[in-house]
Amino acid sequence: MPPVLSVRGLSKVYDGGWTLDLTDADFDLQAGESLAVLGPSGCGKSTLLRLIAGLETPDRGEISADGAPLNGVMPHRRRFGLMHQDLALFPHLNVRDNIEFGLRSQRWPRQDARARVDEMLRLMRIDGLAHRPVDTLSGGEQQRVALARSLAPRPRLLMLDEPLGALDRHLRAELEREIRRIRDHEGVTLVYVTHDHDEAFAVANTVLVLDQGRAVQYGRPEDVYLNPATPFVARFLGHANLFPCALRHVVDGVLEARSVFGSWRVNAPVDDMLSRLSECTALIPPEAVSLGPPEPDAAAATVIEATVLEATLQGGGYDLALDVRGERLYARAHARHGEGRPAPGDVVRVRIDEARIRLLPWTE
Amino acid sequence: MDGPREGLAGRGYGVIALRRGRVVLPLMFLAVAFAWPFANTVRVGLGWGGEGLLTPFVEAAGDPYLRGRFLFTVWQAALSTILALLFGLPSAYVFARHRFAGRGILLAAITIPFILPPIVIALGLLSLLGPSGVVNTALINVFGFGQPPVQLLNTFAIILIAHVVYEYAIVVRLISTFWANLDPAVNEAAALLSASPRRVFLTVTAPLLAPAIAAAAALVFMFTFTSFGIILILGAPEHATLEVEIYTLMTRLFRPQTAAALALTQLVATLGMLWVYVRLQDAAVNRIRLRARAAAPARASTPADYTLRLGAVAAVVLVLSPLLALLLRSFGIPGGFGLDGYEAIFSNARNEYFYISPVAAIRNSLGFAVATVLLAVPLGVLAAYGLRNPRAWWRNPLDALYMLPLGVSAVTLGLGYLLSLRVGTFDVRTTLVPIVLAHTLIAYPFVIRVVLSTLRAMRPHLREAASVLGASPVRVVTRIDLPILSRAILVGAVFAFAVSLGEFGATLLLNRPEYTTMPVAILGYLTRPGAANLASALAMSTVLMIVAGAGFFLIERARYRGWGEF
């Protein structure tokens, strides 16, 4: 089966010189897969959606669906679904007519259209709102109507542009679950645009990270998170602990890394590129940092003293900003009953699990 | 959200012809209906190809009578503006800062005179203050005067009164809108800094309000500067404004060069005023934080408050009284009751020579109004689409160009047509075309304004969403654009209809007996002697008032917001 969506060598230059350049980032999307397009505001996420939807024409490259090229195919003949960030609900139609709009446009028989709308209303749990004007709905309800509307005509591909953007945190979590439920129920192929990595990882099985109109990384969420391709990706995914580090060959195939926290042997197999470098960046994921004395069976760990700069309660623990020999290290500590909050100036012992440190082949 | 690309939305689809047409067609219309007559007026007025460049100007400037006309025009406009401000400002304050039962209705009611044709206002004042008007009849009945005690007809005073009645709405609505939107927190802050209420007004409110007041003044000055119907009907020959003089020079004295020279002089003044108005209004808007906290409405508490409120109600009654008088007089009240006037206008009884058939006038007016709607609405909608993209560099100049006809007086427009519309041996002036073009030119800027503000308020992605859902370009227009714009289009159509019905100056210049419209017929009846003719004039004015009033009622019902700010 040809992929539902296939993008090859895509690029477009805009009036101000702003460019979306995906010429070196071809990708395919198989039926039932979900792709998250992740990046900061202005990175080109929405533009990519508009190109796929046919609302804009690429200068170069080809988009095809189910093996057939889409060049020159007008948006209304593509049978894609797109949920705009501002929802774009039709203000002159009620909820039912909004959802039915695509079905009528695609000439569904009246009976089938009615049945499908009823199904959508039930699926999105908005049965009671069918005859309400859309401008009387709450933000969450509008979101559901918009989702139902884009889903109703069974699009080959559903694109969601920051679908949870305008909602408060509580509603976001709820609707995110809802989107996953509906994705599985309808078996829909999904492109999900967001600037929130948690959202992207929760919904998608592939992630495409964009920065300033270029693709910087493409892969499984786990890989992208653990092995960010650039400092930009690392920081964008929430990594705060990135430190310069020097490499030295000890024996063939074994490296010693030296940073402000001390030096350690890199035991993991070292790839070619890394072995030719003398400088790189150490990425210390939060789960590699812990506070307190070393446990007896602990793996090789660096233990250092650090001064607390700031401690904020976040969920069930503290987010700590620590000072280690002039460098800033971020760590998590569990909040325990009866223990006070670490205070600025406290000296704590920090353990860094060496095996979990990632060496990334770039320097800042 | 991603970057500056909204304007490119939908490139590569849509009806290409329509895309070009939305700029090209309005421009073509402007070229024919505006630029060409305008160019001819300039040519004739400057004496191009005639006796010599600027000869008409030199002659006009050397004529003490015409100099007098110019000075009188300025003088009466200035005096009218000052009086309208004095009369309207207290009401503006009350409507801005007080909430009371019937406020909305009163606010709508004061606008009625402004949307009526000036000729109706003139007839209203005639009915109220004329020799056989309501006031004189009442005084005679009560006190037994031998002759009408109020002798205002053909005086300067009645012209000023008519102007105040007519312009009161602009002063009140413009200024009260800004006043109501002034952030009360600013006043409160000043008060907390120990300023007395009087000091708060002088040092905070007044400076903030000044641009709005000045903008209203500029608009009132512009309107009264080109006053025509009111002066023609209520004034004496020595009250002729430039506008009236252009009409006389062209139709009675056949001096097109001098008429054109005066028209250009007037044009410079009105366009200058329009420019001042636009600048001042921008300044006024910049000074207020729109949609700040809703201005705390004051409930009347002090005797001064009650006095002000009572004064505002009295002002509204005064402003509306001519209309009521017109209605009464058209039925012969006071002094009896009769439908003579109405019978006369709905029958063609008389067989006088030069008799203006009222039925024909009504039919002609309706015909021109329908033609105007059919032309102005599509043009206005197209032009509004062309102005939709706020980022295009040409948007503001184009918008200004579309609005330019508003700064040209009706008689000047008619003059331009008289000077232009001859193509080869074919005289377009003998056809219906010039009247329809003139009415459309005056009406379509309003259509642009109402449609454009709805288009701007439309969420940007509705059409794209419809398209992605499978709607063809045609279906996008019929199912998304038109339903959403329908109310604005209706408002624009009603407006165009009302403008065409009431248009007087240009129509009078372009008039031919077989195309006589209602306002022209009213003037015709008035200039003929006899009670029957007066009754016909009053009845027809009342019909005009009711039709235009009904149109205004429809517009207000459509609750089109923003129109109240002109």
Side-chain angles (χ1 to χ4, degrees):
Chain A
M1 276 255 294
V4 171
L5 177 72
S6 166
V7 173
R8 295 282 175 272
L10 201 63
S11 74
K12 182 169 176 78
V13 181
Y14 287 91
D15 287 349
W18 193 94
T19 307
L20 178 73
D21 182 4
L22 299 183
T23 41
D24 53 359
D26 296 343
F27 62 90
D28 289 334
L29 202 58
Q30 300 292 341
E33 279 187 338
S34 302
L35 168 73
V37 181
L38 184 62
S41 156
C43 71
K45 311 181 295 262
S46 298
T47 308
L48 177 59
L49 286 199
R50 298 173 64 79
L51 288 170
I52 297 174
L55 297 169
E56 292 178 30
T57 323
D59 293 343
R60 220 163 297 187
E62 191 174 85
I63 300 168
S64 40
D66 297 324
L70 289 175
N71 295 8
V73 177
M74 306 253 280
H76 67 282
R77 298 189 196 283
R78 294 194 175 196
R79 294 197 294 112
F80 287 170
L82 169 63
M83 182 173 144
H84 282 92
Q85 188 180 9
D86 65 359
L87 306 185
L89 292 178
F90 303 134
H92 58 301
L93 303 178
N94 66 18
V95 169
R96 166 171 277 282
D97 293 341
N98 259 283
I99 299 174
E100 206 176 2
F101 186 91
L103 305 175
R104 309 288 306 151
S105 295
Q106 297 181 25
R107 301 219 164 79
W108 281 43
R110 198 172 283 271
Q111 293 283 320
D112 298 1
R114 292 198 69 82
R116 178 67 174 161
V117 174
D118 290 334
E119 186 190 348
M120 282 294 118
L121 288 168
R122 273 195 309 278
L123 183 67
M124 297 305 306
R125 302 184 176 129
I126 45 175
D127 329 38
L129 305 176
H131 299 287
R132 289 267 295 277
V134 288
D135 52 7
T136 63
L137 304 178
S138 71
E141 289 166 344
Q142 292 189 349
Q143 220 88 6
R144 284 164 187 269
V145 175
L147 193 55
R149 185 179 70 179
S150 42
L151 204 57
R154 297 191 204 282
R156 300 190 277 187
L157 174 75
L158 179 62
M159 295 177 276
L160 306 177
D161 190 356
E162 301 265 8
L164 309 180
L167 301 176
D168 63 47
R169 200 197 306 187
H170 177 73
L171 262 176
R172 289 175 78 98
E174 183 188 321
L175 264 158
E176 188 190 289
R177 274 197 305 279
E178 204 78 332
I179 288 172
R180 272 178 290 160
R181 178 174 70 86
I182 283 147
R183 176 196 64 192
D184 297 338
H185 179 274
E186 292 270 315
V188 67
T189 311
L190 195 66
V191 176
Y192 189 105
V193 158
T194 179
H195 65 271
D196 183 316
H197 53 88
D198 288 332
E199 222 174 285
F201 293 161
V203 172
N205 47 29
T206 323
V207 174
L208 172 67
V209 187
L210 298 185
D211 180 29
Q212 295 176 12
R214 299 184 131 265
V216 281
Q217 199 163 9
Y218 175 72
R220 294 193 318 132
E222 292 82 350
D223 297 338
V224 172
Y225 181 75
L226 290 175
N227 288 310
T230 67
F232 164 78
V233 177
R235 292 194 192 284
F236 192 71
L237 298 181
H239 289 296
N241 293 328
L242 297 163
F243 302 98
C245 133
L247 291 174
R248 189 166 68 87
H249 285 267
V250 183
V251 283
D252 242 11
V254 178
L255 296 174
E256 189 192 55
R258 172 184 293 278
S259 79
V260 67
F261 305 111
S263 50
W264 67 95
R265 286 267 174 103
V266 181
N267 294 322
V270 172
D271 68 32
D272 249 17
M273 197 206 285
L274 212 52
S275 66
R276 277 186 268 109
L277 293 173
S278 60
E279 281 183 331
C280 68
T281 294
L283 165 65
I284 308 179
E287 59 270 16
V289 187
S290 52
L291 263 62
E295 289 152 36
D297 58 340
T302 305
V303 177
I304 44 177
E305 288 201 336
T307 314
V308 175
L309 293 171
E310 198 182 15
T312 47
L313 186 62
Q314 199 49 258
Y318 298 111
D319 278 343
L320 297 177
L322 305 169
D323 175 74
V324 181
R325 294 167 201 153
E327 289 279 344
R328 204 169 252 243
L329 180 72
Y330 295 91
R332 288 259 322 151
H334 288 293
R336 291 199 181 88
H337 245 313
E339 279 181 27
R341 179 187 294 204
D346 286 1
V347 174
V348 292
R349 293 169 72 80
V350 178
R351 199 157 48 83
I352 299 173
D353 185 351
E354 287 168 4
R356 288 182 156 169
I357 298 176
R358 303 266 151 188
L359 292 183
L360 303 175
W362 36 254
T363 51
E364 284 185 270
Chain B
M1 60 165 291
D2 277 353
R5 291 177 297 284
E6 214 76 271
L8 296 156
R11 176 178 284 183
Y13 78 102
V15 187
I16 299 293
L18 205 66
R19 303 224 146 180
R20 300 276 178 274
R22 66 195 187 178
V23 176
V24 172
L25 283 177
L27 283 181
M28 276 167 58
F29 169 74
L30 270 186
V32 173
F34 185 62
W36 186 24
F38 180 75
N40 274 311
T41 310
V42 172
R43 180 177 56 80
V44 175
L46 292 182
W48 222 297
E51 306 104 87
L53 209 55
L54 293 180
T55 318
F57 269 106
V58 174
E59 277 176 11
D63 183 337
Y65 172 75
L66 292 180
R67 275 209 309 272
R69 297 286 44 93
F70 178 78
L71 290 177
F72 175 77
T73 306
V74 174
W75 164 236
Q76 60 85 25
L79 209 54
S80 301
T81 306
I82 291 167
L83 289 174
L85 283 177
L86 285 179
F87 195 62
L89 268 175
S91 307
Y93 167 75
V94 172
F95 281 110
R97 285 294 195 229
H98 285 216
R99 293 290 176 277
F100 49 92
R103 178 180 168 279
I105 295 170
L106 281 182
L107 208 51
I110 59 165
T111 316
I112 294 174
F114 179 70
I115 55 105
L116 291 178
I119 192 161
V120 171
I121 303 299
L123 270 280
L125 279 160
L126 203 60
S127 309
L128 185 70
L129 299 173
S132 61
V134 172
V135 169
N136 275 322
T137 314
L139 289 175
I140 289 169
N141 287 347
V142 174
F143 298 107
F145 288 109
Q147 52 174 332
V150 179
Q151 297 282 1
L152 282 176
L153 193 58
N154 300 336
T155 63
F156 191 26
I158 199 168
I159 293 174
L160 293 177
I161 293 172
H163 283 168
V164 170
V165 166
Y166 197 60
E167 313 292 350
Y168 174 75
I170 295 188
V171 174
V172 174
R173 291 199 75 146
L174 258 181
I175 296 176
S176 74
T177 305
F178 286 110
W179 208 328
N181 278 309
L182 283 184
D183 190 351
V186 177
N187 285 4
E188 288 162 14
L192 288 170
L193 292 167
S194 307
S196 66
R198 178 196 183 79
R199 203 175 140 71
V200 170
F201 181 82
L202 287 177
T203 57
V204 179
T205 311
L208 284 174
L209 216 52
I213 295 176
L219 210 56
V220 171
F221 188 90
M222 191 181 91
F223 284 135
T224 50
F225 190 80
T226 57
S227 183
F228 181 65
I230 285 171
I231 300 212
L232 205 61
I233 288 170
L234 297 176
E238 72 263 27
H239 300 132
T241 52
L242 286 180
E243 189 86 339
V244 174
E245 199 56 44
I246 295 166
Y247 166 70
T248 313
L249 284 169
M250 193 62 196
T251 58
R252 303 269 153 78
L253 308 173
F254 306 107
R255 285 168 60 191
Q257 280 96 348
T258 318
L262 289 195
L264 289 182
T265 311
Q266 196 194 33
L267 202 65
V268 171
T270 51
L271 288 180
M273 279 295 142
L274 192 64
W275 183 77
V276 168
Y277 165 70
V278 170
R279 294 299 302 265
L280 285 171
Q281 210 197 18
D282 282 352
V285 171
N286 286 339
R287 285 195 183 193
I288 58 171
R289 230 189 305 154
L290 276 167
R291 280 174 227 267
R293 173 152 67 95
R299 306 204 168 274
S301 49
T302 65
D305 285 339
Y306 279 111
T307 312
L308 271 173
R309 194 182 296 178
L310 217 64
V313 173
V316 173
V317 171
L318 283 180
V319 162
L320 292 179
S321 60
L323 304 182
L324 189 66
L326 172 60
L327 187 68
L328 292 176
R329 288 293 301 135
S330 75
F331 290 107
I333 308 167
F337 177 83
L339 295 171
D340 312 358
Y342 292 96
E343 274 163 18
I345 62 167
F346 289 112
S347 63
N348 259 347
R350 281 171 289 172
N351 275 319
E352 288 172 31
Y353 193 57
F354 280 139
Y355 171 63
I356 309 158
S357 156
V359 176
I362 293 172
R363 198 189 53 219
N364 288 340
S365 271
L366 291 180
F368 283 126
V370 169
T372 303
V373 169
L374 291 181
L375 211 56
V377 168
L379 270 175
V381 172
L382 269 181
Y385 266 91
L387 294 175
R388 195 164 51 142
N389 178 4
R391 270 187 282 269
W393 63 265
W394 40 261
R395 196 192 69 91
N396 284 334
L398 192 65
D399 199 354
L401 186 66
Y402 287 155
M403 293 300 128
L404 211 53
L406 286 183
V408 178
S409 74
V411 171
T412 304
L413 210 58
L415 174 71
Y417 282 21
L418 282 185
L419 296 176
S420 313
L421 295 172
R422 185 192 292 277
V423 181
T425 55
F426 177 59
D427 191 350
V428 188
R429 287 171 294 183
T430 60
T431 69
L432 301 161
V433 173
I435 295 180
V436 174
L437 285 187
H439 289 191
T440 305
L441 196 64
I442 297 169
Y444 94 108
F446 293 103
V447 181
I448 294 183
R449 290 268 76 86
V450 288
V451 173
L452 189 59
S453 48
T454 306
L455 270 181
R456 293 240 178 90
M458 221 165 125
R459 281 171 176 266
H461 296 130
L462 292 182
R463 321 177 80 238
E464 290 178 10
S467 183
V468 174
L469 283 168
S472 63
V474 172
R475 197 174 148 85
V476 172
V477 170
T478 58
R479 295 300 162 92
I480 303 296
D481 286 26
L482 287 181
I484 290 176
L485 291 180
S486 60
R487 215 157 58 173
I489 291 175
L490 180 74
V491 169
V494 169
F495 219 110
F497 194 86
V499 162
S500 169
L501 272 192
E503 207 293 318
F504 183 51
T507 317
L508 188 61
L509 245 76
L510 298 168
N511 181 53
R512 302 180 75 82
E514 63 271 32
Y515 304 141
T516 297
T517 61
M518 288 162 73
V520 175
I522 291 169
L523 182 70
Y525 296 132
L526 277 181
T527 51
R528 268 156 246 262
N533 275 320
L534 181 61
S536 293
L538 293 174
M540 194 169 273
S541 300
T542 309
V543 171
L544 203 53
M545 173 172 77
I546 287 167
V547 174
F552 172 70
F553 179 73
L554 271 181
I555 292 174
E556 284 281 290
R557 275 298 296 272
R559 282 179 190 284
Y560 185 75
R561 291 207 274 163
W563 120 263
E565 285 140 42
F566 300 97

